[in-house]
Amino acid sequence: MLDRSHNAPELPPEIARRRTFAIISHPDAGKTTLTEKFLLYGGAIQMAGQVRAKGEARRTRSDFMQMEKDRGISVSASAMSFDFHNYRFNLVDTPGHSDFSEDTYRTLTAVDAAIMVIDGAKGVESQTQKLFEVCRMRDLPILTFCNKMDRESRETLDIIDEIQENLAIDVTPASWPIGVGRDFLGCYDVLNDRLELMDRADRNKVAESIKIEGLDDPKLAEHVPEHLLEQLKEGLEMARELLPPFDRQAFLDGTLTPIWFGSAINSFGVQELMDGMAKYGPEPQPQKATPRPISPEEKKVMGYVFKVQANMDPKHRDRVAFVRLAAGHFKRGMKLTHVRSKKPMSISNPVLFLASDRELAEEAWAGDIIGIPNHGQLRIGDTLTEGEDIRVTGIPSFAPELLQGVRAGDPMKAKHLEKALMQFAEEGAAKVFKPAIGSGFIVGVVGALQFEVLASRIELEYGLPVRFDASQFTSARWVTGPRLELDKFINANKQHISYDHDGDPVFLTRLQWDIDRIERDYPELTLSATKEMMV
């Protein structure tokens, strides 16, 4: 992320009130439940659907694929826009499961901040660590929410220590829990000197807030049993000696994270976290692009595609490109230039999302995420502008870690299969490679669960049962270099060469030895495990 310098021009009020952020976590830390409660407090839904609830209550709004509803996990990032007080929140819920991490990495290129959810009993888990490193690479400001405090959980200072050690970031308490598990009463709001009490009877009710004058206020004793009050005072005294106070600049620089404690399923601590995002979170930030960065206050509209989702509405074979607006004030019906093809596109049906529900977007501002329905013209990494030849950079595509062959159950449906695979390749759901020799396709993914998701989606969305078979190849590398050298290499290694859906050459390997051999014999060529999706 590029820093907005302290003397940067002030943003127009409509842009300044935008807060665009993602929620990240290890699977099962409560991320989707937290998302639901955000929507509830934003007035976007009347009743939050718990992922673990029964029957109709279980229909969470942010999980819209059939497979997500069946399994109670998120496998695709979804975007939601809603108002909270005077702010406009653009929230992106991401898959926590590591098999879908590429979708999450790309999503993080389209937000200005992240909320990291951790489980009070488990602390920092492996996937949290990976996602945090991506945020660190982008210097994203991070707010931390320690969830499930109403269950048995670790000592507060232990949790904070673990975050500081594992993630190498300073932590400052924005709130402090009073009791844990069955004894969990609520939190002391450190930033506002308030007592927040949890209501266990009504999960969808906002906590009771009591304004107090510091920890010596006698009002505290009226609401908090003596032994818990002692623990609270002791804990906070230690925290004040050992931990830095909240500093907004350090938070915006990505070196300090404020931590809130709560229980998303009981709607507790959520409102304070949202207030924190509204009050301290970053405004829309400049975006890296070539030949120059894009600033949000620029008058001309610019945006870029960070995700493509096919068949969000199964009744219509639609494709929706998720576009993050980087600059300007967009109005429905505008003509924008599709920079890759240099062709104008009339954006007549842009949508704002509430997960799978959509409404027509009459207008949008820098920082917003809109959907543009199209039939395959827009791909991940595409930039849309009002005429300027400028391309947003830094949207990654990763080499797959698992490769398998694929064929249709019915050999007569090979053409249908090709169409389905190309659609998923453009969506970024899988890599599809066409071998230079022989027929068929090789599909590459980051995690094994993606093969299941692909098979299930191809059958549901195209009525086409497919089989995945083991492949002789174990990894893939994009090959770039001088044309003559590249042609010589391709001709000499035809049995290892495939082409991705953009037509770029890919070297499929069986062993690390194959990669070492090419690097030794063709020093002018570069074998790369990532490809920037700037097109």
Side-chain angles (χ1 to χ4, degrees):
M1 180 170 304
L2 299 162
D3 286 336
R4 284 187 64 75
S5 62
H6 297 299
N7 55 5
E10 212 161 283
L11 291 177
E14 264 305 330
I15 296 177
R17 76 184 191 97
R18 261 66 189 162
R19 297 287 180 271
T20 304
F21 58 96
I23 299 190
I24 60 171
S25 80
H26 195 83
D28 239 15
K31 173 166 49 64
T32 300
T33 307
L34 181 65
T35 303
E36 296 291 308
K37 298 299 167 123
F38 267 49
L39 296 180
L40 185 71
Y41 286 147
I45 55 175
Q46 263 34 74
M47 183 177 115
Q50 276 102 32
V51 177
R52 301 222 175 278
K54 292 188 178 77
E56 265 315 293
R58 189 177 157 181
R59 302 283 171 260
T60 62
R61 298 301 284 264
S62 53
D63 287 345
F64 54 82
M65 280 187 193
Q66 192 56 48
M67 184 166 184
E68 294 179 306
K69 291 172 182 169
D70 295 344
R71 289 188 178 216
I73 59 167
S74 300
V75 299
S76 174
S78 56
M80 286 145 273
S81 298
F82 56 96
D83 286 320
F84 175 69
H85 300 329
N86 299 322
Y87 294 89
R88 178 71 167 174
F89 277 9
N90 295 305
L91 180 164
V92 187
D93 177 29
T94 59
H97 202 291
S98 61
D99 285 7
F100 304 96
S101 51
E102 190 167 351
D103 197 20
T104 304
Y105 291 154
R106 283 201 288 265
T107 298
L108 290 173
T109 64
V111 296
D112 303 309
I115 290 176
M116 176 168 72
V117 184
I118 58 174
D119 181 325
K122 296 176 184 163
V124 177
E125 296 171 87
S126 57
Q127 187 60 13
T128 317
Q129 197 147 355
K130 275 190 199 165
L131 293 169
F132 176 82
E133 279 158 18
V134 180
C135 294
R136 167 62 54 83
M137 272 163 29
R138 296 185 54 76
D139 295 329
L140 281 182
I142 292 177
L143 298 88
T144 302
F145 183 69
C146 185
N147 194 18
K148 305 189 183 182
M149 295 305 292
D150 56 323
R151 303 185 192 176
E152 286 314 313
S153 72
R154 315 244 296 268
E155 285 286 325
T156 308
L157 277 167
D158 287 352
I159 292 169
I160 289 175
D161 273 352
E162 187 178 342
I163 296 171
Q164 294 196 136
E165 273 182 36
N166 285 7
L167 305 179
I169 189 170
D170 288 333
V171 181
T172 185
S175 71
W176 196 267
I178 302 169
V180 291
R182 276 194 200 140
D183 293 341
F184 181 64
L185 283 185
C187 284
Y188 179 75
D189 181 339
V190 178
L191 298 177
N192 302 299
D193 269 333
R194 278 196 308 235
L195 184 63
E196 307 289 348
L197 298 175
M198 185 171 87
D199 183 341
R200 282 181 187 261
D202 185 352
R203 287 183 154 180
N204 287 338
K205 195 174 162 205
V206 179
E208 186 190 352
S209 236
I210 297 152
K211 184 76 185 153
I212 48 176
E213 304 296 327
L215 284 172
D216 299 322
D217 192 322
K219 266 196 285 186
L220 268 173
E222 294 169 28
H223 301 280
V224 182
E226 197 178 332
H227 70 290
L228 290 179
L229 190 53
E230 273 308 301
Q231 281 176 15
L232 170 69
K233 288 181 175 175
E234 247 171 63
L236 268 175
E237 206 169 299
M238 282 175 74
R240 281 183 176 145
E241 279 176 30
L242 299 170
L243 301 170
F246 179 71
D247 172 344
R248 185 168 185 232
Q249 196 49 51
F251 158 66
L252 290 176
D253 293 342
T255 59
L256 173 83
T257 178
I259 183 167
W260 281 262
F261 293 85
S263 161
I265 205 158
N266 287 299
S267 304
F268 183 76
V270 178
Q271 177 133 9
E272 291 70 40
L273 178 64
M274 291 173 81
D275 285 337
M277 175 58 82
K279 190 172 175 186
Y280 307 116
E283 303 169 328
Q285 297 293 301
Q287 299 292 333
K288 285 182 183 165
T290 181
R292 63 175 187 82
I294 300 170
S295 291
E297 70 276 0
E298 289 178 37
K299 291 280 186 283
K300 291 203 164 172
V301 171
M302 291 182 228
Y304 58 97
V305 179
F306 66 93
K307 173 184 168 60
V308 174
Q309 184 69 51
N311 303 336
M312 275 177 85
D313 179 351
K315 295 186 201 69
H316 305 101
R317 285 246 176 271
D318 69 340
R319 263 179 195 178
V320 177
F322 286 60
V323 173
R324 154 77 193 235
L325 288 177
H329 178 199
F330 168 84
K331 295 188 182 75
R332 181 158 88 90
M334 272 182 122
K335 270 197 165 50
L336 295 178
T337 300
H338 179 222
V339 173
R340 174 167 53 90
S341 67
K342 308 220 174 349
K343 289 182 180 159
M345 278 183 86
S346 188
I347 317 292
S348 49
N349 295 310
V351 290
L352 281 172
F353 298 104
L354 181 58
S356 60
D357 293 352
R358 328 169 185 181
E359 58 181 60
L360 269 182
E362 291 301 333
E363 60 169 3
W365 296 79
D368 284 338
I369 290 169
I370 59 170
I372 299 180
N374 70 100
H375 293 287
Q377 303 95 310
L378 291 174
R379 293 189 198 165
I380 294 169
D382 276 352
T383 305
L384 295 168
T385 71
E386 279 193 79
E388 188 177 346
D389 188 357
I390 188 167
R391 293 156 193 249
V392 169
T393 57
I395 298 174
S397 177
F398 298 98
E401 291 167 22
L402 300 167
L403 296 165
Q404 289 193 358
V406 60
R407 52 194 165 139
D410 177 352
M412 305 301 287
K413 297 271 178 76
K415 268 273 168 257
H416 288 77
L417 176 62
E418 180 172 350
K419 191 177 167 198
L421 290 174
M422 285 306 148
Q423 179 131 353
F424 291 127
E426 282 170 19
E427 192 184 302
K431 302 289 176 297
V432 176
F433 302 125
K434 180 94 177 89
I437 293 176
S439 61
F441 290 92
I442 289 169
V443 174
V445 296
V446 175
L449 186 55
Q450 279 179 287
F451 285 125
E452 264 184 70
V453 172
L454 277 177
S456 137
R457 284 187 64 191
I458 292 171
E459 187 157 0
L460 271 171
E461 294 168 22
Y462 292 87
L464 193 62
V466 294
R467 274 180 48 196
F468 286 103
D469 307 314
S471 159
Q472 56 171 321
F473 299 114
T474 57
S475 70
R477 294 290 181 270
W478 282 279
V479 195
T480 51
R483 186 79 255 171
L484 280 173
E485 195 71 5
L486 195 55
D487 289 345
K488 191 172 110 187
F489 161 74
I490 288 171
N491 288 328
N493 293 277
K494 273 245 159 63
Q495 70 281 17
H496 284 267
I497 300 296
S498 278
Y499 294 89
D500 69 8
H501 72 284
D502 293 323
D504 291 333
V506 177
F507 180 61
L508 298 180
T509 70
R510 296 188 189 98
L511 307 161
Q512 180 61 37
W513 181 84
D514 290 326
I515 296 175
D516 297 342
R517 174 178 67 84
I518 300 306
E519 286 174 345
R520 185 190 66 227
D521 295 352
Y522 297 90
E524 289 183 46
L525 296 183
T526 306
L527 295 184
S528 173
T530 57
K531 166 180 159 180
E532 191 163 300
M533 301 183 79
M534 181 186 74
V535 281

